[in-house]
Amino acid sequence: MASGPKREAGSDLAERAGPTDISDPLIRTEARKAFVWIGMAALLALTVFLSQSLLVIFGGIVFGALIDGGAQVLRKVVPLPRGVCVVLVLLLAMLFLLWVGRFAGSQIALQAAELPSTIESQFRHGLSWLRAHGIQPRITDLRGMAQEAVGGIGQVTRVVGGLIGVFTTLFLILVLGIYFALEPRLYRRGVGWMLPIERRDHFEATVAIMGQALRRLLFGRLIGMIVEGLFTWAMLQFYGVPMAALLGLITGLLAFLPNIGAPISGMIMILVGFSGGYEMGLYTIFVYVLIHLIDGYLIVPMIARKTVDLPPALVLAAQLIMGVLFGLLGLALADPLVAMIKIWLEREADRNGRGTPGDAGKTTATPPADPA
């Protein structure tokens, strides 16, 4: 008999308004807007706090796209499963690195030991030339500039590695890239599942376009690195420039950084060239100009036609900002990041211009077929 009143009291309590219930519809609407803005601010703060970790994850995506591109090229030659092709690409890359270390490692190591003394000697010759022409730079000023530069570089490098170190960061990028390359659909579907149903088709198409553009961008960048490195080594070796193999390696590696890598590698090459005389120095200037004419008028336009055509000033600005914020890692990933942001903005503008979200999902361009 006592259960009836208890049930009624329980039902009344369930229907009774709580302290968080808002009866006024205007206040309820404004409260929802406030919660949305608070959530956006919290998400922005969390993104800033986790920016270095997010950049490492993006580095893993970039490395995974590079592996995936190699696996797709291999599958066109040998019809093997995707996982087998990924493993073969990693094995081939490892064998190439072992070959380089076995046949050229000792020579490059010896040349790398000679490079600092050569640059220092040329620096002293430059000071002597300035003094001979009436320019008297003060050593204290030069030392102060050098200390500031070294201090800035050290600070930026610490930002890159964080507490876990640069090598651990690179290891995480390699591991993440392998996982992303082995099962890209798993992670793509996981992110798409968190989106509203009407946006999933648009997301799948956008990610497919981004992946294709990123693979082509990295493949073109890799071709440019190989061409510039080998061409530099061959041209310098032909004339007998010292440390030709090391200079070719430096030029090839720095070719991954557009707009910034070329002046650095060129300055090192020219300094080493003038250590062998004025004729050799002029020859290294000729080699530098020839290499970057080929890169600027042949390789870069070919890459731009197949990928996202980025304005050089935009890429340089992104590199400066990312380099200051995240150091060498941000500098290396600035170009792919800007390319992906540009594709995303173009896709969103196209979607908004076509009409309703449902119509946009039906009328978007067909994404490239995923071979996975």
Side-chain angles (χ1 to χ4, degrees), residues 85-285:
C85 291
V86 170
V87 173
L88 288 177
V89 169
L90 294 174
L91 288 176
L92 291 174
M94 187 179 301
L95 290 175
F96 174 75
L97 293 177
L98 291 175
W99 177 81
V100 171
R102 172 66 178 82
F103 291 97
S106 59
Q107 181 183 3
I108 291 176
L110 292 174
Q111 294 178 0
E114 298 174 3
L115 182 62
S117 59
T118 303
I119 293 178
E120 182 180 359
S121 175
Q122 291 303 108
F123 180 72
R124 293 182 182 276
H125 283 304
L127 289 179
S128 301
W129 184 86
L130 290 175
R131 292 192 183 101
H133 288 77
I135 302 174
Q136 299 291 333
R138 292 186 297 178
I139 302 297
T140 55
D141 294 341
L142 296 175
R143 288 178 180 174
M145 292 171 59
Q147 290 177 357
E148 291 180 1
V150 172
I153 293 173
Q155 183 178 3
V156 170
T157 306
R158 286 194 296 272
V159 173
V160 175
L163 298 177
I164 58 178
V166 176
F167 292 104
T168 308
T169 302
L170 294 177
F171 177 75
L172 289 174
I173 290 176
L174 295 179
V175 173
L176 287 171
I178 293 172
Y179 282 135
F180 290 146
L182 286 173
E183 293 181 314
R185 284 187 175 182
L186 176 65
Y187 304 101
R188 188 170 68 238
R189 289 174 179 174
V191 176
W193 175 76
M194 294 186 291
L195 299 175
I197 296 177
E198 65 272 9
R199 292 189 62 93
R200 292 178 185 175
D201 292 339
H202 179 74
F203 170 78
E204 288 285 340
T206 302
V207 169
I209 295 173
M210 283 183 173
Q212 187 181 51
L214 186 58
R215 287 191 296 269
R216 290 179 173 178
L217 177 66
L218 295 174
F219 181 73
R221 192 64 50 78
L222 187 62
I223 294 297
M225 292 170 64
I226 294 173
V227 171
E228 291 188 29
L230 291 178
F231 189 76
T232 300
W233 169 76
M235 293 289 290
L236 298 181
Q237 187 72 27
F238 171 77
Y239 197 81
V241 178
M243 295 172 278
L246 179 61
L247 293 174
L249 179 63
I250 292 175
T251 302
L253 292 177
L254 291 179
F256 188 81
L257 304 175
N259 303 323
I260 293 180
I264 297 175
S265 61
M267 180 184 64
I268 297 174
M269 184 194 311
I270 293 170
L271 285 175
V272 173
F274 275 103
S275 67
Y278 286 103
E279 292 182 359
M280 186 177 290
L282 294 176
Y283 178 78
T284 55
I285 294 176

